Amino acid sequence: MNLQVFNRLTRQKEDFKPLVEGQVKMYVCGPTVYDHAHLGHAKTYVAFDVIVRYLRYLGYKVRYVQNITDVGHLLDTGEDRILKKAGALSLEPMEVVETYTHSYFDDMDALGVVRPDISPRASGHVPEQITMTQGLIEKKHAYVTREGDVYFDVTTFPEYGKLSGQNLDELVGGKRVEVAEGKRHAADFALWRHAEPEHLMQWDSPWGRGFPGWHIECSAMAARYLGETFDIHGGGLENRFPHNECEIAQSEALTGKPFANYWLLTGSLTVDGVKMSKSLGNFVTIKDALKIYQPEALRLFILSSHYSSPVDYSDAALKATQSGWERLMGAVRLVRYTRQNASEGDAAAGFEAVLDEHKARFAAAMDDDFNAPAAIGVLYDLNREVNTLLNSGETIGRPILDSIEQVYHKLGGDVLGIIPDEITETGTDAARQDGLIRFLIEMRADARARKDFAAADNIRNRLVDLGVMLEDRADGTVYKLQ
RNA sequence: GGCGACGUAGCCAAGUGGUAAGGCAGAGGUCUGCAAAACCUCCAUUCACCGGUUCGAAUCCGGUCGUCGCCUCCA
């Protein structure tokens, strides 16, 4: 079976055919770095992470570009969100950008999200954005106002609205947007804005000092690194209009070619049914969530719903997922443990057929528009088979255990990122270690009180082997770590 | 008001024409010194509701109700 994807542009499931056989060029709208990332970001980027991982698993050579927005993204008050933050913290705008870019990558690394191949910054691609804007003016798709703003003229692009199903006539009302000075049409959007002298991020342009509009960066950077037409454009569903729509309009008006062939958009993460967002204040940062839950459990939670569906966050749902994940890991742990002392030979080799069947079902699920929830179901089915085998009392040869481990490694690890190669136990921390050592010291004290010195010495010697030195004092026993 | 989704067991969730995956929780059982873990069995005659198409509908069509997203910054 071949990979099929639901293309938001055509609203149908289509066979996936990249422009160049064996290669995939993919762009995903990245974050605006003015604050720490929250679980909503985690949902989007974990979803695309698995899409990229699966494409690579299938053998595609993927170039994954995800931008960092560090300029031009304005609040509805007209303030630049990064400048606002910089003002509040008395920092250079680029200090804000650095801080939250690092924070974002730290969070993504912690979640096991594979880094994009290119993470271009908007501020580093102003010349490209200016060139593109000039091209649009030359082609009469954009106009310059007296103030030095440049707007895209939506009436020159009849397909405007094709991604979101919006109709220009219905947008005309502009009832909720105050039409900016100099705009010809309420739906026209800024490619370039003039800057007042006190505005901290500004560049020279043919239209005077200013800064790029928000939408143009994605078009410019996608073209720069992926070409005028590329395979997959991804992002959160909430950016479909106006952001994605504007990207299409700019790029296609300029090149006359399709911008992206497949549009994959992710559903939002909600809390009590309402979208998690900065503006609503109902967000949980990734850092806070990782204090409570294993990163793999968070990924599993996100991947338990299809990428295009919304996910509702709650502690109860996360806890249920964590329980399920721990059961999954129980079998993985048992396989690894059994493997240590397994003998060579083909005992239980018949299980190979079970593995093949589950691998095929897993691939069939993922081939169907990256259906991770169904693929996870297959993993649970396999888990039951593995547990049954390992608890059957049969001898199991090392080769088959290696094969099982390989399946976990590839499907659960490489593709979904929910089964780590090394299992770090929850709460393996200094406090727990200290408690365990103290407990052993107590057991040794009991043994000494019974004059069972063999047992007491055994405890002490075993601890020494583990690098824990005991010292008896008049008032008790202390330990130090080597 | 316009555009777009969604409504499947106590909870989460897959399934888009052929007779309801999987997970969590729960009940019973096997195993076990006791636990834990694991496994087995049970847990939706039914997919918001009402009509229609069809040999056959959770899936297609029409309507009703409800929830959400976008239309204004958001992944």
Side-chain angles (χ1 to χ4, degrees), chain A residues 27 29-34 66-74 80-82 97 101 119-123 213-214 217-218 221 243:
Chain A
Y27 187 93
C29 291
T32 302
V33 283
Y34 69 106
Q66 185 196 109
N67 64 292
I68 295 286
T69 297
D70 60 357
V71 66
H73 201 167
L74 305 186
D80 182 300
R81 38 183 81 235
I82 286 161
V97 166
T101 301
S119 299
R121 284 192 190 180
S123 66
W214 174 39
E217 59 168 276
C218 287
M221 296 190 286
H243 181 63

PDB file of all heavy atoms in Angstrom, chain A residues 27 29-34 66-74 80-82 97 101 119-123 213-214 217-218 221 243, chain B residues 74-75:
ATOM      1  N   TYR A  27       7.739  22.244   4.613  1.00  0.00           N
ATOM      2  CA  TYR A  27       7.824  23.496   5.378  1.00  0.00           C
ATOM      3  C   TYR A  27       6.719  23.507   6.425  1.00  0.00           C
ATOM      4  O   TYR A  27       5.570  23.207   6.124  1.00  0.00           O
ATOM      5  CB  TYR A  27       7.647  24.698   4.449  1.00  0.00           C
ATOM      6  CG  TYR A  27       7.880  26.035   5.118  1.00  0.00           C
ATOM      7  CD1 TYR A  27       9.139  26.625   5.084  1.00  0.00           C
ATOM      8  CD2 TYR A  27       6.855  26.690   5.788  1.00  0.00           C
ATOM      9  CE1 TYR A  27       9.370  27.849   5.703  1.00  0.00           C
ATOM     10  CE2 TYR A  27       7.077  27.911   6.418  1.00  0.00           C
ATOM     11  CZ  TYR A  27       8.336  28.487   6.372  1.00  0.00           C
ATOM     12  OH  TYR A  27       8.568  29.691   6.993  1.00  0.00           O
ATOM     13  N   CYS A  29       5.126  26.028   9.574  1.00  0.00           N
ATOM     14  CA  CYS A  29       5.175  27.322  10.243  1.00  0.00           C
ATOM     15  C   CYS A  29       5.641  27.138  11.676  1.00  0.00           C
ATOM     16  O   CYS A  29       5.074  26.361  12.442  1.00  0.00           O
ATOM     17  CB  CYS A  29       3.797  27.976  10.253  1.00  0.00           C
ATOM     18  SG  CYS A  29       3.270  28.501   8.620  1.00  0.00           S
ATOM     19  N   GLY A  30       6.678  27.863  12.042  1.00  0.00           N
ATOM     20  CA  GLY A  30       7.258  27.741  13.370  1.00  0.00           C
ATOM     21  C   GLY A  30       6.715  28.783  14.336  1.00  0.00           C
ATOM     22  O   GLY A  30       5.826  29.553  14.005  1.00  0.00           O
ATOM     23  N   PRO A  31       7.289  28.809  15.523  1.00  0.00           N
ATOM     24  CA  PRO A  31       6.767  29.682  16.576  1.00  0.00           C
ATOM     25  C   PRO A  31       7.291  31.107  16.474  1.00  0.00           C
ATOM     26  O   PRO A  31       8.331  31.361  15.878  1.00  0.00           O
ATOM     27  CB  PRO A  31       7.324  29.033  17.842  1.00  0.00           C
ATOM     28  CG  PRO A  31       8.639  28.472  17.402  1.00  0.00           C
ATOM     29  CD  PRO A  31       8.433  28.001  15.990  1.00  0.00           C
ATOM     30  N   THR A  32       6.540  32.021  17.080  1.00  0.00           N
ATOM     31  CA  THR A  32       7.039  33.375  17.307  1.00  0.00           C
ATOM     32  C   THR A  32       7.677  33.346  18.690  1.00  0.00           C
ATOM     33  O   THR A  32       7.023  32.983  19.664  1.00  0.00           O
ATOM     34  CB  THR A  32       5.885  34.394  17.273  1.00  0.00           C
ATOM     35  OG1 THR A  32       5.230  34.281  16.008  1.00  0.00           O
ATOM     36  CG2 THR A  32       6.406  35.808  17.435  1.00  0.00           C
ATOM     37  N   VAL A  33       8.949  33.682  18.736  1.00  0.00           N
ATOM     38  CA  VAL A  33       9.707  33.462  19.974  1.00  0.00           C
ATOM     39  C   VAL A  33       9.669  34.669  20.913  1.00  0.00           C
ATOM     40  O   VAL A  33      10.615  35.444  20.991  1.00  0.00           O
ATOM     41  CB  VAL A  33      11.167  33.070  19.660  1.00  0.00           C
ATOM     42  CG1 VAL A  33      11.230  31.627  19.224  1.00  0.00           C
ATOM     43  CG2 VAL A  33      11.746  33.961  18.555  1.00  0.00           C
ATOM     44  N   TYR A  34       8.583  34.783  21.618  1.00  0.00           N
ATOM     45  CA  TYR A  34       8.469  35.892  22.575  1.00  0.00           C
ATOM     46  C   TYR A  34       8.066  35.390  23.948  1.00  0.00           C
ATOM     47  O   TYR A  34       7.856  36.171  24.865  1.00  0.00           O
ATOM     48  CB  TYR A  34       7.460  36.931  22.058  1.00  0.00           C
ATOM     49  CG  TYR A  34       6.029  36.466  22.061  1.00  0.00           C
ATOM     50  CD1 TYR A  34       5.123  36.939  23.021  1.00  0.00           C
ATOM     51  CD2 TYR A  34       5.591  35.548  21.124  1.00  0.00           C
ATOM     52  CE1 TYR A  34       3.823  36.495  23.023  1.00  0.00           C
ATOM     53  CE2 TYR A  34       4.292  35.104  21.131  1.00  0.00           C
ATOM     54  CZ  TYR A  34       3.406  35.581  22.083  1.00  0.00           C
ATOM     55  OH  TYR A  34       2.110  35.132  22.087  1.00  0.00           O
ATOM     56  N   GLN A  66      11.612  24.694   9.159  1.00  0.00           N
ATOM     57  CA  GLN A  66      10.626  25.276  10.082  1.00  0.00           C
ATOM     58  C   GLN A  66      11.184  26.606  10.567  1.00  0.00           C
ATOM     59  O   GLN A  66      12.262  26.666  11.152  1.00  0.00           O
ATOM     60  CB  GLN A  66      10.408  24.325  11.260  1.00  0.00           C
ATOM     61  CG  GLN A  66       9.318  24.792  12.199  1.00  0.00           C
ATOM     62  CD  GLN A  66       9.377  24.065  13.537  1.00  0.00           C
ATOM     63  OE1 GLN A  66       9.738  24.639  14.554  1.00  0.00           O
ATOM     64  NE2 GLN A  66       9.050  22.786  13.515  1.00  0.00           N
ATOM     65  N   ASN A  67      10.453  27.670  10.297  1.00  0.00           N
ATOM     66  CA  ASN A  67      10.981  29.002  10.579  1.00  0.00           C
ATOM     67  C   ASN A  67      10.893  29.381  12.055  1.00  0.00           C
ATOM     68  O   ASN A  67      10.165  28.777  12.837  1.00  0.00           O
ATOM     69  CB  ASN A  67      10.201  30.031   9.770  1.00  0.00           C
ATOM     70  CG  ASN A  67       8.755  30.065  10.206  1.00  0.00           C
ATOM     71  OD1 ASN A  67       8.027  29.113   9.978  1.00  0.00           O
ATOM     72  ND2 ASN A  67       8.345  31.138  10.861  1.00  0.00           N
ATOM     73  N   ILE A  68      11.650  30.401  12.399  1.00  0.00           N
ATOM     74  CA  ILE A  68      11.546  31.061  13.700  1.00  0.00           C
ATOM     75  C   ILE A  68      11.117  32.489  13.397  1.00  0.00           C
ATOM     76  O   ILE A  68      11.814  33.214  12.692  1.00  0.00           O
ATOM     77  CB  ILE A  68      12.920  31.082  14.406  1.00  0.00           C
ATOM     78  CG1 ILE A  68      13.394  29.671  14.732  1.00  0.00           C
ATOM     79  CG2 ILE A  68      12.864  31.970  15.642  1.00  0.00           C
ATOM     80  CD1 ILE A  68      12.687  29.006  15.877  1.00  0.00           C
ATOM     81  N   THR A  69       9.955  32.868  13.877  1.00  0.00           N
ATOM     82  CA  THR A  69       9.471  34.226  13.641  1.00  0.00           C
ATOM     83  C   THR A  69      10.006  35.134  14.728  1.00  0.00           C
ATOM     84  O   THR A  69       9.694  34.954  15.905  1.00  0.00           O
ATOM     85  CB  THR A  69       7.933  34.269  13.635  1.00  0.00           C
ATOM     86  OG1 THR A  69       7.462  33.468  12.560  1.00  0.00           O
ATOM     87  CG2 THR A  69       7.436  35.697  13.442  1.00  0.00           C
ATOM     88  N   ASP A  70      10.838  36.099  14.302  1.00  0.00           N
ATOM     89  CA  ASP A  70      11.411  36.995  15.301  1.00  0.00           C
ATOM     90  C   ASP A  70      11.232  38.462  14.931  1.00  0.00           C
ATOM     91  O   ASP A  70      11.839  39.334  15.525  1.00  0.00           O
ATOM     92  CB  ASP A  70      12.899  36.669  15.523  1.00  0.00           C
ATOM     93  CG  ASP A  70      13.721  36.811  14.256  1.00  0.00           C
ATOM     94  OD1 ASP A  70      13.138  37.112  13.195  1.00  0.00           O
ATOM     95  OD2 ASP A  70      14.947  36.624  14.321  1.00  0.00           O
ATOM     96  N   VAL A  71      10.374  38.701  13.966  1.00  0.00           N
ATOM     97  CA  VAL A  71      10.096  40.094  13.609  1.00  0.00           C
ATOM     98  C   VAL A  71       8.764  40.160  12.868  1.00  0.00           C
ATOM     99  O   VAL A  71       8.360  39.187  12.237  1.00  0.00           O
ATOM    100  CB  VAL A  71      11.212  40.679  12.704  1.00  0.00           C
ATOM    101  CG1 VAL A  71      11.234  39.986  11.348  1.00  0.00           C
ATOM    102  CG2 VAL A  71      11.037  42.181  12.499  1.00  0.00           C
ATOM    103  N   GLY A  72       8.115  41.281  13.022  1.00  0.00           N
ATOM    104  CA  GLY A  72       6.974  41.546  12.153  1.00  0.00           C
ATOM    105  C   GLY A  72       5.649  40.970  12.591  1.00  0.00           C
ATOM    106  O   GLY A  72       4.616  41.222  11.974  1.00  0.00           O
ATOM    107  N   HIS A  73       5.673  40.164  13.667  1.00  0.00           N
ATOM    108  CA  HIS A  73       4.416  39.560  14.076  1.00  0.00           C
ATOM    109  C   HIS A  73       3.740  40.482  15.085  1.00  0.00           C
ATOM    110  O   HIS A  73       4.123  40.539  16.249  1.00  0.00           O
ATOM    111  CB  HIS A  73       4.689  38.188  14.687  1.00  0.00           C
ATOM    112  CG  HIS A  73       3.501  37.318  14.660  1.00  0.00           C
ATOM    113  ND1 HIS A  73       3.544  35.974  14.903  1.00  0.00           N
ATOM    114  CD2 HIS A  73       2.207  37.600  14.400  1.00  0.00           C
ATOM    115  CE1 HIS A  73       2.336  35.470  14.798  1.00  0.00           C
ATOM    116  NE2 HIS A  73       1.515  36.444  14.502  1.00  0.00           N
ATOM    117  N   LEU A  74       2.740  41.176  14.621  1.00  0.00           N
ATOM    118  CA  LEU A  74       2.153  42.236  15.435  1.00  0.00           C
ATOM    119  C   LEU A  74       0.967  41.771  16.265  1.00  0.00           C
ATOM    120  O   LEU A  74       0.254  40.843  15.899  1.00  0.00           O
ATOM    121  CB  LEU A  74       1.678  43.383  14.524  1.00  0.00           C
ATOM    122  CG  LEU A  74       2.729  43.974  13.590  1.00  0.00           C
ATOM    123  CD1 LEU A  74       2.139  45.169  12.872  1.00  0.00           C
ATOM    124  CD2 LEU A  74       3.986  44.361  14.338  1.00  0.00           C
ATOM    125  N   ASP A  80       4.587  45.275  18.085  1.00  0.00           N
ATOM    126  CA  ASP A  80       5.331  44.070  17.759  1.00  0.00           C
ATOM    127  C   ASP A  80       5.472  43.284  19.059  1.00  0.00           C
ATOM    128  O   ASP A  80       5.913  43.806  20.074  1.00  0.00           O
ATOM    129  CB  ASP A  80       6.715  44.458  17.211  1.00  0.00           C
ATOM    130  CG  ASP A  80       7.523  43.233  16.811  1.00  0.00           C
ATOM    131  OD1 ASP A  80       7.785  42.390  17.673  1.00  0.00           O
ATOM    132  OD2 ASP A  80       7.891  43.140  15.630  1.00  0.00           O
ATOM    133  N   ARG A  81       5.115  41.994  19.020  1.00  0.00           N
ATOM    134  CA  ARG A  81       5.094  41.243  20.283  1.00  0.00           C
ATOM    135  C   ARG A  81       6.487  41.074  20.885  1.00  0.00           C
ATOM    136  O   ARG A  81       6.622  40.981  22.098  1.00  0.00           O
ATOM    137  CB  ARG A  81       4.395  39.898  20.129  1.00  0.00           C
ATOM    138  CG  ARG A  81       4.651  39.193  18.825  1.00  0.00           C
ATOM    139  CD  ARG A  81       3.861  37.901  18.719  1.00  0.00           C
ATOM    140  NE  ARG A  81       2.480  38.097  18.314  1.00  0.00           N
ATOM    141  CZ  ARG A  81       1.438  37.662  18.998  1.00  0.00           C
ATOM    142  NH1 ARG A  81       1.594  37.033  20.119  1.00  0.00           N
ATOM    143  NH2 ARG A  81       0.228  37.862  18.558  1.00  0.00           N
ATOM    144  N   ILE A  82       7.493  41.038  20.038  1.00  0.00           N
ATOM    145  CA  ILE A  82       8.843  40.899  20.575  1.00  0.00           C
ATOM    146  C   ILE A  82       9.326  42.215  21.182  1.00  0.00           C
ATOM    147  O   ILE A  82       9.906  42.236  22.264  1.00  0.00           O
ATOM    148  CB  ILE A  82       9.798  40.385  19.481  1.00  0.00           C
ATOM    149  CG1 ILE A  82       9.507  38.902  19.261  1.00  0.00           C
ATOM    150  CG2 ILE A  82      11.255  40.596  19.876  1.00  0.00           C
ATOM    151  CD1 ILE A  82       9.999  38.348  17.979  1.00  0.00           C
ATOM    152  N   VAL A  97      14.674  37.301  21.598  1.00  0.00           N
ATOM    153  CA  VAL A  97      14.626  36.280  20.557  1.00  0.00           C
ATOM    154  C   VAL A  97      15.546  35.110  20.900  1.00  0.00           C
ATOM    155  O   VAL A  97      15.158  33.949  20.817  1.00  0.00           O
ATOM    156  CB  VAL A  97      15.020  36.904  19.196  1.00  0.00           C
ATOM    157  CG1 VAL A  97      15.326  35.836  18.167  1.00  0.00           C
ATOM    158  CG2 VAL A  97      13.909  37.836  18.711  1.00  0.00           C
ATOM    159  N   THR A 101      14.230  31.410  21.721  1.00  0.00           N
ATOM    160  CA  THR A 101      14.597  30.418  20.707  1.00  0.00           C
ATOM    161  C   THR A 101      15.293  29.247  21.394  1.00  0.00           C
ATOM    162  O   THR A 101      14.988  28.083  21.138  1.00  0.00           O
ATOM    163  CB  THR A 101      15.536  31.047  19.652  1.00  0.00           C
ATOM    164  OG1 THR A 101      14.863  32.150  19.047  1.00  0.00           O
ATOM    165  CG2 THR A 101      15.896  30.035  18.571  1.00  0.00           C
ATOM    166  N   SER A 119      16.325  25.956  10.322  1.00  0.00           N
ATOM    167  CA  SER A 119      15.426  26.763  11.157  1.00  0.00           C
ATOM    168  C   SER A 119      15.683  28.228  10.853  1.00  0.00           C
ATOM    169  O   SER A 119      16.319  28.940  11.633  1.00  0.00           O
ATOM    170  CB  SER A 119      15.691  26.489  12.642  1.00  0.00           C
ATOM    171  OG  SER A 119      15.459  25.133  12.952  1.00  0.00           O
ATOM    172  N   PRO A 120      15.230  28.692   9.720  1.00  0.00           N
ATOM    173  CA  PRO A 120      15.567  30.062   9.317  1.00  0.00           C
ATOM    174  C   PRO A 120      14.798  31.098  10.124  1.00  0.00           C
ATOM    175  O   PRO A 120      13.652  30.882  10.504  1.00  0.00           O
ATOM    176  CB  PRO A 120      15.137  30.103   7.851  1.00  0.00           C
ATOM    177  CG  PRO A 120      14.020  29.119   7.765  1.00  0.00           C
ATOM    178  CD  PRO A 120      14.351  28.027   8.746  1.00  0.00           C
ATOM    179  N   ARG A 121      15.483  32.212  10.371  1.00  0.00           N
ATOM    180  CA  ARG A 121      14.837  33.301  11.098  1.00  0.00           C
ATOM    181  C   ARG A 121      14.376  34.384  10.131  1.00  0.00           C
ATOM    182  O   ARG A 121      15.092  34.730   9.195  1.00  0.00           O
ATOM    183  CB  ARG A 121      15.850  33.943  12.030  1.00  0.00           C
ATOM    184  CG  ARG A 121      16.128  33.148  13.251  1.00  0.00           C
ATOM    185  CD  ARG A 121      16.880  34.066  14.150  1.00  0.00           C
ATOM    186  NE  ARG A 121      17.412  33.343  15.280  1.00  0.00           N
ATOM    187  CZ  ARG A 121      18.129  33.957  16.222  1.00  0.00           C
ATOM    188  NH1 ARG A 121      18.402  35.240  16.121  1.00  0.00           N
ATOM    189  NH2 ARG A 121      18.573  33.274  17.242  1.00  0.00           N
ATOM    190  N   ALA A 122      13.225  34.927  10.439  1.00  0.00           N
ATOM    191  CA  ALA A 122      12.681  35.991   9.599  1.00  0.00           C
ATOM    192  C   ALA A 122      13.643  37.171   9.517  1.00  0.00           C
ATOM    193  O   ALA A 122      13.870  37.727   8.444  1.00  0.00           O
ATOM    194  CB  ALA A 122      11.332  36.446  10.149  1.00  0.00           C
ATOM    195  N   SER A 123      14.246  37.525  10.642  1.00  0.00           N
ATOM    196  CA  SER A 123      15.113  38.715  10.651  1.00  0.00           C
ATOM    197  C   SER A 123      16.374  38.489   9.822  1.00  0.00           C
ATOM    198  O   SER A 123      17.023  39.455   9.414  1.00  0.00           O
ATOM    199  CB  SER A 123      15.509  39.096  12.078  1.00  0.00           C
ATOM    200  OG  SER A 123      16.337  38.083  12.632  1.00  0.00           O
ATOM    201  N   GLY A 213       6.108  42.400   6.810  1.00  0.00           N
ATOM    202  CA  GLY A 213       4.841  41.902   7.372  1.00  0.00           C
ATOM    203  C   GLY A 213       5.028  40.456   7.794  1.00  0.00           C
ATOM    204  O   GLY A 213       6.010  39.787   7.443  1.00  0.00           O
ATOM    205  N   TRP A 214       4.087  39.952   8.562  1.00  0.00           N
ATOM    206  CA  TRP A 214       4.249  38.619   9.122  1.00  0.00           C
ATOM    207  C   TRP A 214       4.215  37.520   8.061  1.00  0.00           C
ATOM    208  O   TRP A 214       5.027  36.594   8.074  1.00  0.00           O
ATOM    209  CB  TRP A 214       3.160  38.362  10.178  1.00  0.00           C
ATOM    210  CG  TRP A 214       3.151  36.954  10.709  1.00  0.00           C
ATOM    211  CD1 TRP A 214       4.244  36.189  10.991  1.00  0.00           C
ATOM    212  CD2 TRP A 214       2.010  36.160  11.006  1.00  0.00           C
ATOM    213  NE1 TRP A 214       3.839  34.963  11.483  1.00  0.00           N
ATOM    214  CE2 TRP A 214       2.473  34.921  11.491  1.00  0.00           C
ATOM    215  CE3 TRP A 214       0.625  36.384  10.921  1.00  0.00           C
ATOM    216  CZ2 TRP A 214       1.602  33.902  11.879  1.00  0.00           C
ATOM    217  CZ3 TRP A 214      -0.225  35.376  11.320  1.00  0.00           C
ATOM    218  CH2 TRP A 214       0.261  34.153  11.794  1.00  0.00           C
ATOM    219  N   GLU A 217       7.347  36.283   5.375  1.00  0.00           N
ATOM    220  CA  GLU A 217       8.553  35.540   5.752  1.00  0.00           C
ATOM    221  C   GLU A 217       8.462  34.078   5.319  1.00  0.00           C
ATOM    222  O   GLU A 217       9.439  33.502   4.838  1.00  0.00           O
ATOM    223  CB  GLU A 217       8.789  35.622   7.263  1.00  0.00           C
ATOM    224  CG  GLU A 217       7.637  35.072   8.078  1.00  0.00           C
ATOM    225  CD  GLU A 217       8.001  34.897   9.549  1.00  0.00           C
ATOM    226  OE1 GLU A 217       8.585  33.863   9.855  1.00  0.00           O
ATOM    227  OE2 GLU A 217       7.687  35.783  10.370  1.00  0.00           O
ATOM    228  N   CYS A 218       7.301  33.474   5.531  1.00  0.00           N
ATOM    229  CA  CYS A 218       7.177  32.045   5.214  1.00  0.00           C
ATOM    230  C   CYS A 218       7.321  31.814   3.705  1.00  0.00           C
ATOM    231  O   CYS A 218       7.966  30.864   3.270  1.00  0.00           O
ATOM    232  CB  CYS A 218       5.843  31.492   5.725  1.00  0.00           C
ATOM    233  SG  CYS A 218       5.817  31.329   7.527  1.00  0.00           S
ATOM    234  N   MET A 221      11.119  32.392   2.806  1.00  0.00           N
ATOM    235  CA  MET A 221      12.063  31.386   3.289  1.00  0.00           C
ATOM    236  C   MET A 221      11.777  30.011   2.694  1.00  0.00           C
ATOM    237  O   MET A 221      12.698  29.238   2.422  1.00  0.00           O
ATOM    238  CB  MET A 221      12.059  31.359   4.818  1.00  0.00           C
ATOM    239  CG  MET A 221      12.569  32.688   5.382  1.00  0.00           C
ATOM    240  SD  MET A 221      12.868  32.696   7.153  1.00  0.00           S
ATOM    241  CE  MET A 221      11.212  32.743   7.795  1.00  0.00           C
ATOM    242  N   HIS A 243      -3.193  33.536   7.696  1.00  0.00           N
ATOM    243  CA  HIS A 243      -1.767  33.372   7.412  1.00  0.00           C
ATOM    244  C   HIS A 243      -1.466  32.484   6.203  1.00  0.00           C
ATOM    245  O   HIS A 243      -0.805  32.892   5.252  1.00  0.00           O
ATOM    246  CB  HIS A 243      -1.035  32.844   8.654  1.00  0.00           C
ATOM    247  CG  HIS A 243       0.434  32.677   8.453  1.00  0.00           C
ATOM    248  ND1 HIS A 243       1.280  33.737   8.181  1.00  0.00           N
ATOM    249  CD2 HIS A 243       1.219  31.576   8.431  1.00  0.00           C
ATOM    250  CE1 HIS A 243       2.509  33.290   8.037  1.00  0.00           C
ATOM    251  NE2 HIS A 243       2.510  31.983   8.172  1.00  0.00           N
TER     252      HIS A 243
ATOM    253  P     C B  74      -0.738  35.415  14.221  1.00  0.00           P
ATOM    254  OP1   C B  74       0.565  35.340  13.577  1.00  0.00           O
ATOM    255  OP2   C B  74      -1.956  35.222  13.422  1.00  0.00           O
ATOM    256  O5'   C B  74      -0.813  34.427  15.460  1.00  0.00           O
ATOM    257  C5'   C B  74       0.354  33.756  15.914  1.00  0.00           C
ATOM    258  C4'   C B  74       0.031  33.094  17.234  1.00  0.00           C
ATOM    259  O4'   C B  74      -1.204  33.626  17.693  1.00  0.00           O
ATOM    260  C3'   C B  74      -0.133  31.580  17.151  1.00  0.00           C
ATOM    261  O3'   C B  74       0.898  30.926  17.886  1.00  0.00           O
ATOM    262  C2'   C B  74      -1.420  31.269  17.830  1.00  0.00           C
ATOM    263  O2'   C B  74      -1.247  30.460  18.980  1.00  0.00           O
ATOM    264  C1'   C B  74      -1.918  32.614  18.345  1.00  0.00           C
ATOM    265  N1    C B  74      -3.359  32.778  18.091  1.00  0.00           N
ATOM    266  C2    C B  74      -4.214  32.434  19.148  1.00  0.00           C
ATOM    267  O2    C B  74      -3.719  32.020  20.200  1.00  0.00           O
ATOM    268  N3    C B  74      -5.551  32.559  18.958  1.00  0.00           N
ATOM    269  C4    C B  74      -6.027  33.004  17.808  1.00  0.00           C
ATOM    270  N4    C B  74      -7.340  33.107  17.682  1.00  0.00           N
ATOM    271  C5    C B  74      -5.165  33.352  16.709  1.00  0.00           C
ATOM    272  C6    C B  74      -3.846  33.225  16.904  1.00  0.00           C
ATOM    273  P     A B  75       2.392  30.987  17.540  1.00  0.00           P
ATOM    274  OP1   A B  75       3.275  30.919  18.694  1.00  0.00           O
ATOM    275  OP2   A B  75       2.651  31.998  16.498  1.00  0.00           O
ATOM    276  O5'   A B  75       2.271  29.549  16.892  1.00  0.00           O
ATOM    277  C5'   A B  75       3.275  28.905  16.224  1.00  0.00           C
ATOM    278  C4'   A B  75       2.602  27.631  15.795  1.00  0.00           C
ATOM    279  O4'   A B  75       2.323  26.842  16.979  1.00  0.00           O
ATOM    280  C3'   A B  75       1.238  27.882  15.187  1.00  0.00           C
ATOM    281  O3'   A B  75       1.362  28.142  13.812  1.00  0.00           O
ATOM    282  C2'   A B  75       0.496  26.594  15.479  1.00  0.00           C
ATOM    283  O2'   A B  75       0.790  25.622  14.539  1.00  0.00           O
ATOM    284  C1'   A B  75       1.093  26.181  16.821  1.00  0.00           C
ATOM    285  N9    A B  75       0.193  26.517  17.928  1.00  0.00           N
ATOM    286  C8    A B  75       0.073  27.700  18.592  1.00  0.00           C
ATOM    287  N7    A B  75      -0.824  27.675  19.553  1.00  0.00           N
ATOM    288  C5    A B  75      -1.320  26.377  19.519  1.00  0.00           C
ATOM    289  C6    A B  75      -2.292  25.710  20.288  1.00  0.00           C
ATOM    290  N6    A B  75      -2.957  26.281  21.275  1.00  0.00           N
ATOM    291  N1    A B  75      -2.548  24.425  19.982  1.00  0.00           N
ATOM    292  C2    A B  75      -1.869  23.868  18.978  1.00  0.00           C
ATOM    293  N3    A B  75      -0.933  24.387  18.189  1.00  0.00           N
ATOM    294  C4    A B  75      -0.697  25.670  18.524  1.00  0.00           C
TER     295        A B  75
END
